Structures are given as C-alpha cells and as structure tokens.
Amino acid sequence: MFQFDLEKIAPPLSLTLGLLLAGCAGDTKPPDSGNFDDEASAGANDSGLPLPIDVGVGELDPGECIAGEKNGEDGAAWGYVHQCGGVWWGRIGFTFEGTGLDLYVPSADGWAHFGQGHEDYLESKVMACCGPHDPQLPLADQPTYAENCMLDLRQQVCMSISAGLESAIESGDIPKLKETVDLQNWIADNTTACMKGLEDTNDSPTGLKAKWEIPPAGTPWDESDFDIQDVYVEVILANLSDLYRPPAIEGAPICDSLNWNRDHLFERGLPPSGPGIDAVLESGAGMMLGPVIDPESGTPLQLGTTFASLDTSCTGLDCSRLSLSADASTNTWSLDELRLIPEPRLTAEVAGQTIVVEQSRIELYGDAKGQLGMAGGVSEYRLAAGDAQFVVRAEVAGEMVMLFAHSSTDLVAVSDSAGGWELQPFELVYTDAQGDAWTMTVSATQWL
C-alpha cells in the first residue's frame, strides 16, 4: 500500500466490475505484453556466446530458446513451456506533490515465490520457451534457459507492476485522480520500454537487480504543473533457482514466444501462511447486467452464464475453484482464491450487432480477509462488501480485456453437513468512466 495520508489528497474512491468495455477516457488500462526484439530473442548457448538469430523452423533443439515469435516462409519456430522457479520483489516509486511514495509488488512485507511447488505448471508465472533442457544440470549451468527465464521475468514484472498500480487505483488504495490514471496508462502502454529499462546490475545469469529511472521526456509528468514526478520501476530482488517441465515431453504444452503466460501475473498480497481448504464448484450460475446501450430498445445489456463446474463436466484448471483458510484463535479467515469461469463463449445482441465474449474469467485479485462467526448453529465466514477485489479477463472482438471489480455485497461462505461449502449469492459492480454501472450477480454456489 502507498505510504501516505489519502485523506489529504482525495476521499477514497470505491470502484467495482465490468465485463465488456475497457479503455474509456478516465479509465485505467490493462498492461500490454510488450515486444522482444530479435537480439533479445536469440538467447545464448551453454558457453554464454550469442546464438544466431535464426534458430530455424519447427521444434527447437536442446539449448535453443526463443522470446518473440519466429515466423518465416518455411514455417515457425516453437518450443516447450518450461516453468522457471525462484523469488522476486519489486516496486514502482514516484513523488506526489513532493512526497516520495512506493507501491510494492507483491507486498511491502516481502517477496513472491514462483515455480514448482508454488503454482500449477499450467499457470507458470515465469517461463522459458525452449527445446528440451537437461533436468540433471542446475539452471546456472544452462545459461540459455536462465536468460530466457530472465527475459520473461522482466516482462512479467513490468506487467504485474502496471496491474498492481491499476488495482491500487481501482480499489481506492490510492485516489483515482487524473495524474494517477495518466501515470498508470503510460506504464501500461510501455511494457517494452520497461523491459529494456531494467538493465541488470547483477552478473549472475540467475540473478537480477535493476532500477529504471524513467526519463520524463514524452511522459505525462513532463509538465511543470503535473503533481507526479521522478517515476521509477525497480527490481529489488530476483533470483532464479530451478527449471521444470513434465518428464514426458508430450505433457508439456508448446509455445512460440514468451507471451504464452502473459495473463499469469504476480498479484498484490501474500499467499496464505496456514493450512486451508480447496474446493471445486459443483454448480453455479450468474447474470451480468450492463447499462442501456441501445436507446431505441431501452433494454439494458444482459448476459447469463453457467460457470464451469462438476455439473458441466469440467476438468483440471478449466473448473471454477475456491480456496480459503481460517485462524480460529483470532476468529479471522482468508479467501485465498475464488475463480469463476463462465461458459466458453457468450453472445449478446446490441443495437443490431452481435457481441462475442470468449475466454472469460472472474478471479479474486490477491486475497481478502474476513471474520468468523456463528449463524443458525453453523460457522459463518463473512467478508464485508468492498473487501474483495476481482479481476475480470475476457476476449472481446479479438481484444483482451482486463478490468478490476469489487464485491458490492457481503460475501458469505458456510460449510454444510456433507463436508462441502456454499457461497451465498453476492454481487460485483463496476462503474465505468461514463458513470454507467455494470453488475454481475452470482447465484448461490455449491463447492466440493
């Protein structure tokens, strides 16, 4: 959290969810994924010497990696997704009205672990896109792979810091002023410059320490009356420790660039420190209601959906999921994960046009802390309205959309006699830059 008195600047702003529209004037932006130039994509061989830029088409050989797409007349180059493991800690800093401020990601309290044992392989936050590696050698002895991991780490750091700043603005942790939105938009639009600006001051192929002091020329804060100045992005700590892919090569998905995992970002907040409960959705549905877009009909935009669940025969990461942990000694609990996956393809008719929403996900951003109590003789886990922040991701008209939302009603979980869980109905709301509200009402959901 930013370390300054918000009340001296502006009252906290309470914002919440949207599904279809993004990029309106006055809105924060999801980060772009940036570009890898040819030199950065080439990697290095095991002696540390640069590889030729043209690695050939088809499957990459052992020791070869790519960062950006390599397409030619004879085909494309592709490799296997390798999960990189390690830790990192970073921040964005600037001065606001002369006061120095910091926003740490994932938290001011410490760093984030990533890799095997900390996340599912198919949700790798840092990856390498390479030919098969040697699992018997340490990562430090395979510099091609370490360099590729580090390139992806730079990308994920820059995108995660942009998303973290967006989250802080939309949650009201910092005020939604023109200056803060302009700063966030510029960071979101300049992932490539951020990746290049984080020049390594650590000689180790598995370590990164860097600070990008952003030149003001061409930025919104290159104005004498702009309240934000001296903006920088810093990687305080980053170390790579290991590399993983499934033993059977057919179990590893293929990749043609380091953009395969671009939406698996680091979130603000730390993971739970104690034991928890994991559950899969048994059944559930929701309704999204938007503003009146077609004045002639006067009908608000509506989209109903069934969430991926055991009832829909979902499998693995395609299922909606719930994780929570509790500390009975303090009567507190933590909602650590809530992922709702709508139907694969949603359509709506708006002013005679069909809007198609694909690959949508509604996910808790970070974690949310609540209170334990009793109701009707059973334990009740309650989060107050506004205390849970969500990120909504979807593909609309071929463009990826990422928006932040909050719970606008209390979110209550209760356990049932069969050992399962119920989330009582709750609502998410987002108000766009035009003042129009978008809401999603989630019906009672059952979890096993």
Side-chain angles (χ1 to χ4, degrees):
M1 181 179 294
F2 275 85
Q3 301 166 347
F4 67 103
D5 187 353
L6 297 179
E7 294 181 357
K8 294 181 180 178
I9 300 173
L13 299 176
S14 198
L15 300 176
T16 40
L17 152 47
L19 185 60
L20 295 179
L21 302 179
C24 300
D27 280 348
T28 52
K29 289 184 177 181
D32 66 39
S33 56
N35 296 305
F36 299 93
D37 57 35
D38 288 340
E39 183 178 355
S41 302
N45 61 25
D46 288 344
S47 66
L49 298 175
L51 283 168
I53 291 174
D54 183 6
V55 294
V57 301
E59 180 181 357
L60 295 174
D61 294 328
E64 289 185 339
C65 299
I66 53 176
E69 293 184 11
K70 299 292 182 183
N71 296 314
E73 293 182 359
D74 298 326
W78 55 271
Y80 297 99
V81 174
H82 291 65
Q83 183 180 43
C84 310
V87 298
W88 92 281
W89 190 30
R91 63 182 173 181
I92 181 171
F94 54 84
T95 61
F96 187 92
E97 295 182 336
T99 300
L101 310 172
D102 299 284
L103 177 68
Y104 289 85
V105 178
S107 164
D109 298 324
W111 54 79
H113 290 269
F114 54 89
Q116 191 180 16
H118 301 284
E119 65 206 14
D120 191 281
Y121 164 71
L122 293 176
E123 295 186 331
S124 298
K125 289 186 174 62
V126 181
M127 62 169 284
C129 185
C130 307
H133 79 296
D134 186 345
Q136 304 303 315
L137 288 178
L139 180 60
D141 292 340
Q142 301 182 78
T144 305
Y145 300 87
E147 180 187 271
N148 205 244
C149 288
M150 199 61 77
L151 286 170
D152 190 55
L153 179 61
R154 281 190 175 93
Q155 179 192 46
Q156 298 297 88
V157 163
C158 292
M159 295 177 68
S160 297
I161 283 177
S162 171
L165 184 56
E166 182 183 8
S167 162
I169 292 171
E170 297 293 358
S171 68
D173 283 352
I174 63 172
K176 191 172 187 180
L177 304 174
K178 179 182 184 302
E179 287 88 347
T180 58
V181 172
D182 285 351
L183 168 62
Q184 192 279 326
N185 286 347
W186 192 91
I187 296 294
D189 288 338
N190 285 273
T191 299
T192 300
C194 176
M195 290 157 55
K196 293 180 178 179
L198 292 174
E199 295 182 4
D200 194 3
T201 59
N202 185 324
D203 293 335
S204 167
T206 58
L208 172 64
K209 185 176 182 180
K211 185 175 183 179
W212 178 39
E213 296 180 346
I214 306 174
T219 68
W221 55 94
D222 189 19
E223 302 288 343
S224 59
D225 60 348
F226 206 79
D227 290 331
I228 291 175
Q229 301 291 332
D230 306 320
V231 185
Y232 65 87
V233 172
E234 182 177 20
V235 175
I236 302 168
L237 164 73
N239 283 303
L240 300 170
S241 56
D242 54 77
L243 197 67
Y244 170 78
R245 63 171 171 80
I249 196 68
E250 59 269 17
I254 63 173
C255 51
D256 60 8
S257 75
L258 292 178
N259 285 325
W260 180 87
N261 64 334
R262 64 185 181 274
D263 61 344
H264 300 157
L265 302 180
F266 295 100
E267 299 179 358
R268 293 171 62 221
L270 294 174
S273 56
I277 297 168
D278 298 316
V280 175
L281 182 63
E282 180 182 12
S283 62
M287 171 67 72
M288 198 279 289
L289 181 66
V292 175
I293 295 180
D294 183 4
E296 292 186 6
S297 68
T299 302
L301 179 64
Q302 297 184 58
L303 282 174
T305 184
T306 298
F307 298 123
S309 65
L310 298 178
D311 276 2
T312 66
S313 301
C314 70
T315 58
L317 295 177
D318 292 330
C319 291
S320 302
R321 299 191 295 183
L322 167 74
S323 296
L324 56 87
S325 53
D327 185 348
S329 65
T330 60
N331 288 327
T332 59
W333 73 291
S334 172
L335 182 62
D336 302 313
E337 179 181 22
L338 177 55
R339 172 184 297 184
L340 296 169
I341 302 178
E343 295 171 12
R345 194 171 190 267
L346 304 173
T347 61
E349 294 295 325
V350 178
Q353 296 185 343
T354 301
I355 295 178
V356 179
V357 182
E358 299 180 286
Q359 300 180 31
S360 55
R361 301 200 310 271
I362 303 166
E363 298 179 278
L364 182 73
Y365 183 85
D367 54 14
K369 307 297 183 185
Q371 295 295 314
L372 288 174
M374 296 295 294
V378 299
S379 296
E380 180 184 81
Y381 297 67
R382 180 177 293 271
L383 288 172
D387 283 356
Q389 187 178 19
F390 291 81
V391 60
V392 180
R393 295 182 174 94
E395 182 177 303
V396 184
E399 297 291 332
M400 291 303 298
V401 174
M402 185 176 80
L403 301 169
F404 282 93
H406 285 82
S407 54
S408 56
T409 60
D410 286 2
L411 197 155
V412 180
V414 294
S415 59
D416 60 34
S417 58
W421 290 83
E422 177 185 320
L423 283 187
Q424 296 179 3
F426 66 96
E427 186 177 84
L428 309 177
V429 181
Y430 168 79
T431 302
D432 62 28
Q434 284 67 45
D436 291 326
W438 304 71
T439 66
M440 171 163 278
T441 299
V442 180
S443 63
T445 51
Q446 306 297 320
W447 304 81
L448 294 175

PDB file of all heavy atoms in Angstrom, residues 239-264:
ATOM      1  N   ASN A 239      15.803 -13.818  -8.098  1.00  0.00           N
ATOM      2  CA  ASN A 239      16.728 -14.943  -8.239  1.00  0.00           C
ATOM      3  C   ASN A 239      15.994 -16.132  -8.827  1.00  0.00           C
ATOM      4  O   ASN A 239      14.870 -16.465  -8.400  1.00  0.00           O
ATOM      5  CB  ASN A 239      17.314 -15.342  -6.882  1.00  0.00           C
ATOM      6  CG  ASN A 239      18.397 -14.389  -6.424  1.00  0.00           C
ATOM      7  OD1 ASN A 239      19.386 -14.183  -7.121  1.00  0.00           O
ATOM      8  ND2 ASN A 239      18.211 -13.796  -5.261  1.00  0.00           N
ATOM      9  N   LEU A 240      16.616 -16.770  -9.807  1.00  0.00           N
ATOM     10  CA  LEU A 240      16.096 -17.997 -10.401  1.00  0.00           C
ATOM     11  C   LEU A 240      16.810 -19.185  -9.776  1.00  0.00           C
ATOM     12  O   LEU A 240      18.029 -19.146  -9.571  1.00  0.00           O
ATOM     13  CB  LEU A 240      16.327 -17.996 -11.908  1.00  0.00           C
ATOM     14  CG  LEU A 240      15.668 -16.863 -12.700  1.00  0.00           C
ATOM     15  CD1 LEU A 240      16.184 -16.843 -14.129  1.00  0.00           C
ATOM     16  CD2 LEU A 240      14.154 -17.017 -12.676  1.00  0.00           C
ATOM     17  N   SER A 241      16.056 -20.237  -9.478  1.00  0.00           N
ATOM     18  CA  SER A 241      16.658 -21.380  -8.792  1.00  0.00           C
ATOM     19  C   SER A 241      16.520 -22.689  -9.543  1.00  0.00           C
ATOM     20  O   SER A 241      17.360 -23.580  -9.382  1.00  0.00           O
ATOM     21  CB  SER A 241      16.040 -21.530  -7.394  1.00  0.00           C
ATOM     22  OG  SER A 241      14.627 -21.648  -7.485  1.00  0.00           O
ATOM     23  N   ASP A 242      15.486 -22.852 -10.354  1.00  0.00           N
ATOM     24  CA  ASP A 242      15.274 -24.153 -10.974  1.00  0.00           C
ATOM     25  C   ASP A 242      14.402 -24.026 -12.213  1.00  0.00           C
ATOM     26  O   ASP A 242      13.840 -22.967 -12.500  1.00  0.00           O
ATOM     27  CB  ASP A 242      14.638 -25.130  -9.977  1.00  0.00           C
ATOM     28  CG  ASP A 242      13.359 -24.578  -9.355  1.00  0.00           C
ATOM     29  OD1 ASP A 242      12.314 -24.592 -10.029  1.00  0.00           O
ATOM     30  OD2 ASP A 242      13.412 -24.122  -8.194  1.00  0.00           O
ATOM     31  N   LEU A 243      14.285 -25.138 -12.914  1.00  0.00           N
ATOM     32  CA  LEU A 243      13.523 -25.219 -14.157  1.00  0.00           C
ATOM     33  C   LEU A 243      12.780 -26.540 -14.161  1.00  0.00           C
ATOM     34  O   LEU A 243      13.301 -27.570 -13.733  1.00  0.00           O
ATOM     35  CB  LEU A 243      14.490 -25.152 -15.354  1.00  0.00           C
ATOM     36  CG  LEU A 243      13.927 -24.814 -16.726  1.00  0.00           C
ATOM     37  CD1 LEU A 243      13.427 -23.376 -16.761  1.00  0.00           C
ATOM     38  CD2 LEU A 243      15.021 -24.998 -17.786  1.00  0.00           C
ATOM     39  N   TYR A 244      11.533 -26.529 -14.668  1.00  0.00           N
ATOM     40  CA  TYR A 244      10.740 -27.756 -14.652  1.00  0.00           C
ATOM     41  C   TYR A 244       9.882 -27.853 -15.897  1.00  0.00           C
ATOM     42  O   TYR A 244       9.332 -26.852 -16.376  1.00  0.00           O
ATOM     43  CB  TYR A 244       9.822 -27.794 -13.418  1.00  0.00           C
ATOM     44  CG  TYR A 244       8.817 -28.922 -13.466  1.00  0.00           C
ATOM     45  CD1 TYR A 244       9.195 -30.230 -13.160  1.00  0.00           C
ATOM     46  CD2 TYR A 244       7.489 -28.683 -13.831  1.00  0.00           C
ATOM     47  CE1 TYR A 244       8.265 -31.266 -13.219  1.00  0.00           C
ATOM     48  CE2 TYR A 244       6.559 -29.717 -13.883  1.00  0.00           C
ATOM     49  CZ  TYR A 244       6.965 -31.003 -13.583  1.00  0.00           C
ATOM     50  OH  TYR A 244       6.066 -32.041 -13.648  1.00  0.00           O
ATOM     51  N   ARG A 245       9.750 -29.039 -16.430  1.00  0.00           N
ATOM     52  CA  ARG A 245       8.715 -29.406 -17.390  1.00  0.00           C
ATOM     53  C   ARG A 245       8.371 -30.862 -17.108  1.00  0.00           C
ATOM     54  O   ARG A 245       9.164 -31.598 -16.498  1.00  0.00           O
ATOM     55  CB  ARG A 245       9.165 -29.219 -18.837  1.00  0.00           C
ATOM     56  CG  ARG A 245      10.319 -30.087 -19.258  1.00  0.00           C
ATOM     57  CD  ARG A 245      10.575 -30.023 -20.767  1.00  0.00           C
ATOM     58  NE  ARG A 245      11.819 -30.688 -21.123  1.00  0.00           N
ATOM     59  CZ  ARG A 245      11.964 -31.998 -21.254  1.00  0.00           C
ATOM     60  NH1 ARG A 245      10.925 -32.797 -21.060  1.00  0.00           N
ATOM     61  NH2 ARG A 245      13.132 -32.510 -21.572  1.00  0.00           N
ATOM     62  N   PRO A 246       7.176 -31.321 -17.483  1.00  0.00           N
ATOM     63  CA  PRO A 246       6.794 -32.711 -17.192  1.00  0.00           C
ATOM     64  C   PRO A 246       7.798 -33.685 -17.794  1.00  0.00           C
ATOM     65  O   PRO A 246       8.366 -33.433 -18.870  1.00  0.00           O
ATOM     66  CB  PRO A 246       5.423 -32.831 -17.876  1.00  0.00           C
ATOM     67  CG  PRO A 246       4.894 -31.439 -17.922  1.00  0.00           C
ATOM     68  CD  PRO A 246       6.095 -30.560 -18.138  1.00  0.00           C
ATOM     69  N   PRO A 247       8.050 -34.794 -17.108  1.00  0.00           N
ATOM     70  CA  PRO A 247       9.027 -35.775 -17.621  1.00  0.00           C
ATOM     71  C   PRO A 247       8.695 -36.253 -19.026  1.00  0.00           C
ATOM     72  O   PRO A 247       9.594 -36.444 -19.851  1.00  0.00           O
ATOM     73  CB  PRO A 247       8.943 -36.919 -16.601  1.00  0.00           C
ATOM     74  CG  PRO A 247       8.444 -36.267 -15.347  1.00  0.00           C
ATOM     75  CD  PRO A 247       7.521 -35.177 -15.797  1.00  0.00           C
ATOM     76  N   ALA A 248       7.406 -36.451 -19.324  1.00  0.00           N
ATOM     77  CA  ALA A 248       7.002 -36.846 -20.673  1.00  0.00           C
ATOM     78  C   ALA A 248       6.832 -35.590 -21.512  1.00  0.00           C
ATOM     79  O   ALA A 248       6.036 -34.714 -21.189  1.00  0.00           O
ATOM     80  CB  ALA A 248       5.700 -37.640 -20.632  1.00  0.00           C
ATOM     81  N   ILE A 249       7.603 -35.478 -22.583  1.00  0.00           N
ATOM     82  CA  ILE A 249       7.604 -34.246 -23.361  1.00  0.00           C
ATOM     83  C   ILE A 249       6.220 -33.928 -23.912  1.00  0.00           C
ATOM     84  O   ILE A 249       5.848 -32.759 -24.057  1.00  0.00           O
ATOM     85  CB  ILE A 249       8.642 -34.329 -24.515  1.00  0.00           C
ATOM     86  CG1 ILE A 249       8.939 -32.945 -25.081  1.00  0.00           C
ATOM     87  CG2 ILE A 249       8.181 -35.278 -25.585  1.00  0.00           C
ATOM     88  CD1 ILE A 249       9.680 -32.040 -24.153  1.00  0.00           C
ATOM     89  N   GLU A 250       5.389 -34.981 -24.147  1.00  0.00           N
ATOM     90  CA  GLU A 250       4.058 -34.713 -24.678  1.00  0.00           C
ATOM     91  C   GLU A 250       3.160 -34.065 -23.621  1.00  0.00           C
ATOM     92  O   GLU A 250       2.095 -33.556 -23.935  1.00  0.00           O
ATOM     93  CB  GLU A 250       3.405 -36.002 -25.207  1.00  0.00           C
ATOM     94  CG  GLU A 250       3.246 -37.107 -24.189  1.00  0.00           C
ATOM     95  CD  GLU A 250       4.445 -38.053 -24.170  1.00  0.00           C
ATOM     96  OE1 GLU A 250       5.509 -37.663 -24.695  1.00  0.00           O
ATOM     97  OE2 GLU A 250       4.308 -39.169 -23.636  1.00  0.00           O
ATOM     98  N   GLY A 251       3.597 -34.081 -22.354  1.00  0.00           N
ATOM     99  CA  GLY A 251       2.838 -33.427 -21.312  1.00  0.00           C
ATOM    100  C   GLY A 251       3.118 -31.944 -21.187  1.00  0.00           C
ATOM    101  O   GLY A 251       2.465 -31.257 -20.400  1.00  0.00           O
ATOM    102  N   ALA A 252       4.069 -31.453 -21.956  1.00  0.00           N
ATOM    103  CA  ALA A 252       4.424 -30.033 -21.907  1.00  0.00           C
ATOM    104  C   ALA A 252       3.781 -29.311 -23.083  1.00  0.00           C
ATOM    105  O   ALA A 252       3.987 -29.696 -24.235  1.00  0.00           O
ATOM    106  CB  ALA A 252       5.944 -29.869 -21.962  1.00  0.00           C
ATOM    107  N   PRO A 253       3.003 -28.262 -22.831  1.00  0.00           N
ATOM    108  CA  PRO A 253       2.429 -27.518 -23.956  1.00  0.00           C
ATOM    109  C   PRO A 253       3.516 -26.835 -24.764  1.00  0.00           C
ATOM    110  O   PRO A 253       4.589 -26.506 -24.249  1.00  0.00           O
ATOM    111  CB  PRO A 253       1.508 -26.500 -23.275  1.00  0.00           C
ATOM    112  CG  PRO A 253       2.030 -26.378 -21.884  1.00  0.00           C
ATOM    113  CD  PRO A 253       2.616 -27.710 -21.540  1.00  0.00           C
ATOM    114  N   ILE A 254       3.226 -26.625 -26.051  1.00  0.00           N
ATOM    115  CA  ILE A 254       4.202 -25.945 -26.897  1.00  0.00           C
ATOM    116  C   ILE A 254       3.959 -24.444 -26.850  1.00  0.00           C
ATOM    117  O   ILE A 254       2.890 -23.972 -26.470  1.00  0.00           O
ATOM    118  CB  ILE A 254       4.147 -26.464 -28.353  1.00  0.00           C
ATOM    119  CG1 ILE A 254       2.779 -26.171 -28.974  1.00  0.00           C
ATOM    120  CG2 ILE A 254       4.456 -27.948 -28.406  1.00  0.00           C
ATOM    121  CD1 ILE A 254       2.725 -26.501 -30.469  1.00  0.00           C
ATOM    122  N   CYS A 255       4.989 -23.686 -27.206  1.00  0.00           N
ATOM    123  CA  CYS A 255       4.917 -22.228 -27.187  1.00  0.00           C
ATOM    124  C   CYS A 255       5.690 -21.702 -28.382  1.00  0.00           C
ATOM    125  O   CYS A 255       6.625 -22.339 -28.871  1.00  0.00           O
ATOM    126  CB  CYS A 255       5.502 -21.662 -25.890  1.00  0.00           C
ATOM    127  SG  CYS A 255       7.160 -22.289 -25.507  1.00  0.00           S
ATOM    128  N   ASP A 256       5.284 -20.529 -28.865  1.00  0.00           N
ATOM    129  CA  ASP A 256       6.037 -19.895 -29.948  1.00  0.00           C
ATOM    130  C   ASP A 256       6.605 -18.552 -29.512  1.00  0.00           C
ATOM    131  O   ASP A 256       7.183 -17.834 -30.322  1.00  0.00           O
ATOM    132  CB  ASP A 256       5.176 -19.731 -31.200  1.00  0.00           C
ATOM    133  CG  ASP A 256       3.941 -18.881 -30.964  1.00  0.00           C
ATOM    134  OD1 ASP A 256       3.800 -18.288 -29.871  1.00  0.00           O
ATOM    135  OD2 ASP A 256       3.099 -18.799 -31.877  1.00  0.00           O
ATOM    136  N   SER A 257       6.440 -18.217 -28.220  1.00  0.00           N
ATOM    137  CA  SER A 257       7.014 -16.979 -27.681  1.00  0.00           C
ATOM    138  C   SER A 257       6.831 -16.999 -26.168  1.00  0.00           C
ATOM    139  O   SER A 257       6.192 -17.900 -25.609  1.00  0.00           O
ATOM    140  CB  SER A 257       6.321 -15.747 -28.271  1.00  0.00           C
ATOM    141  OG  SER A 257       5.046 -15.565 -27.690  1.00  0.00           O
ATOM    142  N   LEU A 258       7.352 -15.968 -25.513  1.00  0.00           N
ATOM    143  CA  LEU A 258       7.194 -15.835 -24.071  1.00  0.00           C
ATOM    144  C   LEU A 258       5.869 -15.175 -23.695  1.00  0.00           C
ATOM    145  O   LEU A 258       5.676 -14.823 -22.520  1.00  0.00           O
ATOM    146  CB  LEU A 258       8.367 -15.034 -23.486  1.00  0.00           C
ATOM    147  CG  LEU A 258       9.721 -15.743 -23.537  1.00  0.00           C
ATOM    148  CD1 LEU A 258      10.823 -14.847 -22.981  1.00  0.00           C
ATOM    149  CD2 LEU A 258       9.681 -17.070 -22.762  1.00  0.00           C
ATOM    150  N   ASN A 259       4.967 -15.024 -24.660  1.00  0.00           N
ATOM    151  CA  ASN A 259       3.648 -14.472 -24.360  1.00  0.00           C
ATOM    152  C   ASN A 259       2.646 -15.543 -23.948  1.00  0.00           C
ATOM    153  O   ASN A 259       1.493 -15.236 -23.661  1.00  0.00           O
ATOM    154  CB  ASN A 259       3.102 -13.696 -25.562  1.00  0.00           C
ATOM    155  CG  ASN A 259       3.778 -12.349 -25.721  1.00  0.00           C
ATOM    156  OD1 ASN A 259       4.129 -11.698 -24.751  1.00  0.00           O
ATOM    157  ND2 ASN A 259       3.978 -11.931 -26.965  1.00  0.00           N
ATOM    158  N   TRP A 260       3.075 -16.797 -23.910  1.00  0.00           N
ATOM    159  CA  TRP A 260       2.164 -17.896 -23.565  1.00  0.00           C
ATOM    160  C   TRP A 260       1.527 -17.667 -22.200  1.00  0.00           C
ATOM    161  O   TRP A 260       0.371 -18.007 -21.977  1.00  0.00           O
ATOM    162  CB  TRP A 260       2.941 -19.210 -23.590  1.00  0.00           C
ATOM    163  CG  TRP A 260       2.134 -20.426 -23.253  1.00  0.00           C
ATOM    164  CD1 TRP A 260       1.397 -21.203 -24.098  1.00  0.00           C
ATOM    165  CD2 TRP A 260       1.975 -21.016 -21.952  1.00  0.00           C
ATOM    166  NE1 TRP A 260       0.805 -22.232 -23.425  1.00  0.00           N
ATOM    167  CE2 TRP A 260       1.138 -22.149 -22.102  1.00  0.00           C
ATOM    168  CE3 TRP A 260       2.472 -20.707 -20.684  1.00  0.00           C
ATOM    169  CZ2 TRP A 260       0.785 -22.955 -21.029  1.00  0.00           C
ATOM    170  CZ3 TRP A 260       2.107 -21.507 -19.616  1.00  0.00           C
ATOM    171  CH2 TRP A 260       1.269 -22.617 -19.795  1.00  0.00           C
ATOM    172  N   ASN A 261       2.255 -17.088 -21.251  1.00  0.00           N
ATOM    173  CA  ASN A 261       1.770 -16.932 -19.872  1.00  0.00           C
ATOM    174  C   ASN A 261       1.522 -15.480 -19.504  1.00  0.00           C
ATOM    175  O   ASN A 261       1.561 -15.112 -18.325  1.00  0.00           O
ATOM    176  CB  ASN A 261       2.772 -17.530 -18.885  1.00  0.00           C
ATOM    177  CG  ASN A 261       4.101 -16.790 -18.902  1.00  0.00           C
ATOM    178  OD1 ASN A 261       4.470 -16.172 -19.900  1.00  0.00           O
ATOM    179  ND2 ASN A 261       4.842 -16.847 -17.806  1.00  0.00           N
ATOM    180  N   ARG A 262       1.232 -14.627 -20.479  1.00  0.00           N
ATOM    181  CA  ARG A 262       1.182 -13.193 -20.226  1.00  0.00           C
ATOM    182  C   ARG A 262       0.045 -12.774 -19.291  1.00  0.00           C
ATOM    183  O   ARG A 262       0.061 -11.665 -18.771  1.00  0.00           O
ATOM    184  CB  ARG A 262       1.062 -12.412 -21.537  1.00  0.00           C
ATOM    185  CG  ARG A 262      -0.221 -12.654 -22.319  1.00  0.00           C
ATOM    186  CD  ARG A 262      -0.191 -11.935 -23.653  1.00  0.00           C
ATOM    187  NE  ARG A 262      -1.420 -12.126 -24.412  1.00  0.00           N
ATOM    188  CZ  ARG A 262      -1.659 -13.145 -25.211  1.00  0.00           C
ATOM    189  NH1 ARG A 262      -0.731 -14.093 -25.342  1.00  0.00           N
ATOM    190  NH2 ARG A 262      -2.790 -13.249 -25.874  1.00  0.00           N
ATOM    191  N   ASP A 263      -0.955 -13.645 -19.066  1.00  0.00           N
ATOM    192  CA  ASP A 263      -2.018 -13.263 -18.136  1.00  0.00           C
ATOM    193  C   ASP A 263      -1.881 -13.955 -16.775  1.00  0.00           C
ATOM    194  O   ASP A 263      -2.777 -13.859 -15.940  1.00  0.00           O
ATOM    195  CB  ASP A 263      -3.399 -13.541 -18.730  1.00  0.00           C
ATOM    196  CG  ASP A 263      -3.635 -15.008 -19.033  1.00  0.00           C
ATOM    197  OD1 ASP A 263      -2.639 -15.766 -19.075  1.00  0.00           O
ATOM    198  OD2 ASP A 263      -4.791 -15.400 -19.241  1.00  0.00           O
ATOM    199  N   HIS A 264      -0.748 -14.613 -16.533  1.00  0.00           N
ATOM    200  CA  HIS A 264      -0.495 -15.238 -15.229  1.00  0.00           C
ATOM    201  C   HIS A 264       0.407 -14.306 -14.413  1.00  0.00           C
ATOM    202  O   HIS A 264       1.575 -14.594 -14.162  1.00  0.00           O
ATOM    203  CB  HIS A 264       0.168 -16.607 -15.395  1.00  0.00           C
ATOM    204  CG  HIS A 264      -0.652 -17.573 -16.183  1.00  0.00           C
ATOM    205  ND1 HIS A 264      -0.117 -18.657 -16.847  1.00  0.00           N
ATOM    206  CD2 HIS A 264      -1.987 -17.620 -16.423  1.00  0.00           C
ATOM    207  CE1 HIS A 264      -1.081 -19.328 -17.455  1.00  0.00           C
ATOM    208  NE2 HIS A 264      -2.223 -18.713 -17.208  1.00  0.00           N
TER     209      HIS A 264
END
